[in-house]
Amino acid sequence: MSSWLLLGGLAASAFLSATVLPGNSELALGALLLQRPELLWPALLVATAANALGSISSLWLGRCVPPRPLPPRAAAWFERFGPAALWLSWVPLAGDALPLAAGWLRLAFWPCALWITLGKASRYALLAWGMQGLIR
């Protein structure tokens, strides 16, 4: 199968996984690396970019919601950590809500996008590192 098709499928899975739609980009990345380990760096780049863009789209959607107060605990958490809280956007299920909440709170866009991307890159790098241990 063509590298472009494999990477395109990974991109679709990674983007959808970052939204409320179902998807499992970790399995897609793992399967791709088992089949084609030479695609490590392109796969990491594609998975990170597509998954980050999916979460950034959630950030944007959160900005479309009329502002209302978040529950006090969630608001205090974002006040304490600010955009850096979005590093945890990689966490399954709970992480999907963080960009929505950050958008709803109108946190600064670019710092949010940066922290989202760093979190996603961290997760995929750790997964790829683990896969490299299995492949060898």
Side-chain angles (χ1 to χ4, degrees), residues 25-99:
S25 61
E26 294 86 1
L27 287 177
L29 178 63
L32 189 147
L33 291 177
L34 281 174
Q35 185 179 15
R36 303 279 297 276
E38 72 276 8
L39 291 178
L40 171 68
W41 292 108
L44 282 175
L45 263 158
V46 165
T48 298
N51 202 245
L53 287 172
S55 286
I56 290 167
S57 71
S58 294
L59 178 69
W60 176 79
L61 285 172
R63 289 175 178 267
C64 294
V65 175
R68 283 182 273 181
L70 279 179
R73 189 170 167 185
W77 197 68
F78 271 108
E79 283 180 29
R80 180 173 179 197
F81 296 106
L86 292 169
W87 183 83
L88 293 173
S89 66
W90 66 267
V91 175
L93 299 176
D96 295 339
L98 291 176

Side-chain angles (χ1 to χ4, degrees), residues 33-34 37 40 125-136:
L33 291 177
L34 281 174
L40 171 68
L126 186 61
L127 177 66
W129 176 72
M131 290 300 299
Q132 291 298 311
L134 289 175
I135 293 170
R136 292 179 187 173

